């Protein structure tokens, strides 16, 4: 991510499933009232991509969609004020050597 933080594919998949089961809500900049809800989610692993006939995929990724209900926040998405999506969360940080 933009903070040079990484997450192992297995941990990403586990975190995504927990988010889908327990939350699915979005706030503006991690604060305030709910402004949107998750409407789709798919963790794509090399194994899943192969099983779905999507070809040779070499890494794990998360595809998701959020319905933004707040017109003012959605306007900020459309005009480029918000160019990225942050899922938030907590983790135990550990240093790793760059490859």
């Amino acid at each position: 991510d933009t903070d040079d933080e990484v997450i192992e594919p297995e941990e990403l998949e586990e975190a995504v499933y927990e988010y889908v089961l327990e939350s699915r809500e979005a706030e503006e900049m991690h604060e305030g009232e709910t402004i949107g809800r998750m409407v789709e989610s798919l963790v794509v692993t090399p194994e899943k991509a192969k099983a779905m006939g999507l070809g040779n995929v070499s890494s794990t990724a998360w595809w998701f969609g959020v319905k933004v209900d707040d017109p003012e926040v959605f306007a900020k998405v459309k005009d480029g004020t918000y160019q990225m999506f942050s899922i938030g969360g907590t983790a135990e940080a550990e240093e790793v050597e760059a490859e």
Side-chain angles (χ1 to χ4, degrees), residues 1-7 93:
D1 68 3
T2 58
D3 295 322
D4 292 325
E5 297 172 333
V6 297
I7 184 170

Side-chain angles (χ1 to χ4, degrees), residues 62-81:
W62 180 23
W63 170 270
F64 65 97
V66 173
K67 167 73 168 84
V68 177
D69 298 310
D70 184 305
E72 291 178 17
V73 174
F74 191 61
K76 293 176 186 178
V77 173
K78 288 174 55 176
D79 73 13
T81 300

Side-chain angles (χ1 to χ4, degrees), residues 52-98:
M52 291 186 286
L54 298 177
N56 186 17
V57 174
S58 61
S59 62
T60 297
W62 180 23
W63 170 270
F64 65 97
V66 173
K67 167 73 168 84
V68 177
D69 298 310
D70 184 305
E72 291 178 17
V73 174
F74 191 61
K76 293 176 186 178
V77 173
K78 288 174 55 176
D79 73 13
T81 300
Y82 295 148
Q83 298 180 6
M84 298 180 204
F85 189 88
S86 172
I87 62 170
T90 59
E92 291 182 28
E94 63 181 64
E95 293 292 325
V96 295
E97 293 184 30

